[in-house]
Amino acid sequence: MLPFESYTPTRLIMAPQAELQAADQIKKHGGSRVLLHYGSGSAVRSGLIDRIRQSLENENLFFIELGGVVPNPRAELVYRGIELCRQEQIDFVLAAGGGSVLDSAKAIAIGSCYEGDFWDMYGRGATPTGRLGLGTIITLPATGSEASNSSVIKNDQLDIKRGLRSDLNRPDFSLINPELTYTLSPWQIACGSSDIISHILERYFSPTTGVGLTDRLCEAAVKTVIDETPSALNNPSQYDVQANLFWSSTVAHIGWLGMGRQEDWSVHALEHELSGHYDTAHGAGLAALYPAWLSFILEREVNGGKKSAKDSAIIARISQFAERVLGIQLDFADSLSTARQGIRSLSAIYRSWGLPANLSDMGIPYEELPKLAKLAKKRPDGFAGAFSPLNEADFLQIYQIAWNWQY
Ligand code: NZQ
Ligand code: ZN
């Protein structure tokens, strides 16, 4: 296990009608002038925004509103939000919606305290200098943005999507009412569950050894999502099912599952180019890419002459995942076959939830894959990932495998 430090300051409140505690929480966190930030319609249609307005009015809190956040939230609206916050001397941003709304709110809250262009912190590595108060009411179990240290914004002018990781992204409080998910479509639920699983797997597939507890925590969290998702797809109006998905999404991305271990994040780097260029759903892209990434790194071991868990940590870990999480009988004589079965099984689970099997079905143009491989985020040394480091040529091969993938 590697040395680690954990900082998770967000007050998490999960309860029916949790949203009604917003005004009280804002006051407790020192807010008095509020920007209420929301999406393109679902939170208005469900009556959530009206209930929040009422709760802010009841507590005599000054507030203005900025709606219109779209999936894959845009830098343009962030600039508008920062301008509004400065004009109206806003000291607290309250986000109500999915991960896109929360990420946009994070960018506004941090960008309002930054003297230069907020994009410097997303695309160009500048360090944030502070933020306004920040609270969230999350309506979709997926990103874990309600407690994560990250936010992802799409810049249409530059045609890229980039993230900012900073502890300042962690909200002061997040109110989680599982009942708010009852209006989600099966597609949104499936994409959300795929995202949750990916946040766990980006940590689970690690080169670090001696991390038995976090391995087991990761396995429990993925199993929970696999157990609960079919039930949510069948009937979204089930409190405990949605509560478990929400809790999984928070646990998946708050940081605990990466404690003391190197994380990978290659598949997220690959996916952000898809949603950044083609406005596809984040979770759908992850579902199409994950089996392809696993297959590529596994077969690379085989091509390098490694045939079993005994001589490859990668074969060992993928077969462990197959056995412990997907319930595939471990073949002691042939752990490679167990690992391969695991990859097919994960892909089949995503298909059974209605997610795309491959990038071709998602409408990604094959001829653009080299461009995406070039743009996908890498370290200055030209590589991404830790479990099995990848360069641009590897990225291209994974995109090609994912484009043609048959589950
Ligand atoms: O805009 P509205 O009308 O609200 O509709 C949204 C949107 O169309 C709808 N929706 C949300 N809650 C609903 C609902 N519809 C009915 N009932 C509800 N309760 O769902 C659609 C998708 O919403 P969005 O917020 O885009 O989805 P998600 O939560 O999956 O967020 C995806 C974004 O988060 C980023 C992704 O890259 C993507 O941009 N990520 C953020 C992370 C973070 N901050 O830590 C980590 C992730 O890895 C991810 O990259
Ligand atoms: Zn994600």
Side-chain angles (χ1 to χ4, degrees):
M1 190 186 299
L2 302 172
F4 69 81
E5 181 175 331
S6 174
Y7 176 68
T8 52
T10 307
R11 179 174 297 277
L12 296 168
I13 300 176
M14 186 190 286
Q17 299 195 314
E19 66 274 14
L20 300 182
Q21 300 185 42
D24 183 44
Q25 284 298 321
I26 290 170
K27 282 187 163 176
K28 281 185 175 145
H29 287 90
S32 58
R33 295 177 70 82
V34 180
L35 174 72
L36 172 58
H37 197 37
Y38 50 89
S40 307
S42 73
V44 173
R45 283 193 300 277
S46 69
L48 171 64
I49 297 301
D50 270 345
R51 291 200 296 283
I52 298 170
R53 285 181 187 133
Q54 193 61 59
S55 123
L56 296 175
E57 279 165 13
N58 290 348
E59 294 289 329
N60 294 318
L61 276 169
F62 170 87
F63 69 96
I64 57 170
E65 298 183 16
L66 180 63
V69 180
V70 293
N72 302 314
R74 303 304 203 271
E76 209 184 332
L77 196 68
V78 173
Y79 285 116
R80 174 85 190 108
I82 292 171
E83 195 183 303
L84 269 177
C85 285
R86 288 180 179 157
Q87 263 169 19
E88 299 290 340
Q89 296 176 316
I90 295 300
D91 58 21
F92 205 97
V93 181
L94 177 64
S100 293
V101 174
L102 271 58
D103 284 5
S104 182
K106 289 175 175 186
I108 293 171
I110 289 178
S112 297
C113 299
Y114 184 74
E115 280 192 6
D117 178 353
F118 96 92
W119 191 256
D120 292 346
M121 297 177 282
Y122 282 73
R124 305 175 191 125
T127 308
T129 49
R131 75 153 163 74
L132 306 178
L134 178 67
T136 85
I137 299 166
I138 179 102
T139 60
L140 171 48
T143 58
S145 188
E146 63 273 16
S148 78
N149 67 349
S150 113
S151 139
V152 190
I153 302 292
K154 178 164 158 29
N155 188 321
D156 283 337
Q157 294 217 313
L158 303 174
D159 196 21
I160 50 172
K161 187 178 180 192
R162 286 290 178 266
L164 166 68
R165 284 194 185 184
S166 160
D167 277 333
L168 289 173
N169 270 325
R170 298 188 189 274
D172 295 314
F173 67 80
S174 284
L175 307 174
I176 306 169
N177 173 4
E179 291 169 346
L180 297 179
T181 63
Y182 295 176
T183 49
L184 287 170
S185 68
W187 171 254
Q188 289 159 346
I189 292 169
C191 288
S193 290
S194 154
D195 194 19
I196 300 171
I197 290 179
S198 298
H199 294 162
I200 304 163
L201 298 188
E202 299 276 26
R203 294 170 165 100
Y204 186 75
F205 291 115
S206 163
T208 312
T209 55
V211 282
L213 175 62
T214 40
D215 270 2
R216 293 296 189 181
L217 291 172
C218 289
E219 288 157 4
V222 178
K223 277 167 88 85
T224 303
V225 179
I226 290 174
D227 285 353
E228 301 289 359
T229 301
S231 187
L233 290 171
N234 189 39
N235 172 14
S237 305
Q238 302 183 75
Y239 186 92
D240 285 338
V241 170
Q242 299 288 10
N244 275 295
L245 286 176
F246 255 136
W247 187 220
S248 305
S249 81
T250 307
V251 166
H253 207 27
I254 196 167
W256 296 330
L257 303 187
M259 293 293 93
R261 56 199 294 149
Q262 258 187 295
E263 303 179 6
D264 192 277
W265 295 102
S266 306
V267 184
H268 268 70
L270 287 158
E271 190 298 311
H272 282 158
E273 296 311 316
L274 305 182
S275 50
H277 287 94
Y278 310 106
D279 220 6
T280 46
H282 176 59
L286 292 168
L289 287 164
Y290 233 100
W293 173 74
L294 283 168
S295 181
F296 173 81
I297 62 171
L298 183 76
E299 299 309 328
R300 182 157 74 171
E301 293 294 280
V302 177
N303 293 335
K306 296 173 179 165
K307 295 272 181 286
S308 76
K310 275 197 223 80
D311 46 32
S312 159
I314 289 175
I315 300 174
R317 190 149 274 272
I318 299 176
S319 55
Q320 173 181 298
F321 172 71
E323 186 205 11
R324 290 190 187 172
V325 178
L326 303 172
I328 291 162
Q329 180 83 38
L330 178 62
D331 184 339
F332 285 100
D334 188 1
S335 46
L336 179 59
S337 137
T338 310
R340 284 180 176 145
Q341 280 184 61
I343 297 171
R344 282 196 296 277
S345 165
L346 181 67
S347 178
I349 287 170
Y350 289 147
R351 284 297 291 147
S352 74
W353 295 350
L355 291 168
N358 54 48
L359 301 188
S360 163
D361 286 354
M362 288 177 67
I364 308 298
Y366 188 82
E367 62 281 7
E368 295 205 4
L369 299 182
K371 177 183 92 179
L372 303 181
K374 190 179 178 59
L375 290 172
K377 199 170 173 220
K378 303 162 200 83
R379 294 185 294 271
D381 66 359
F383 282 83
F387 186 51
S388 182
L390 307 172
N391 61 19
E392 183 183 329
D394 302 328
F395 271 12
L396 178 56
Q397 282 193 54
I398 295 168
Y399 277 134
Q400 288 168 337
I401 295 168
W403 200 89
N404 288 302
W405 186 266
Q406 300 295 327
Y407 84 98

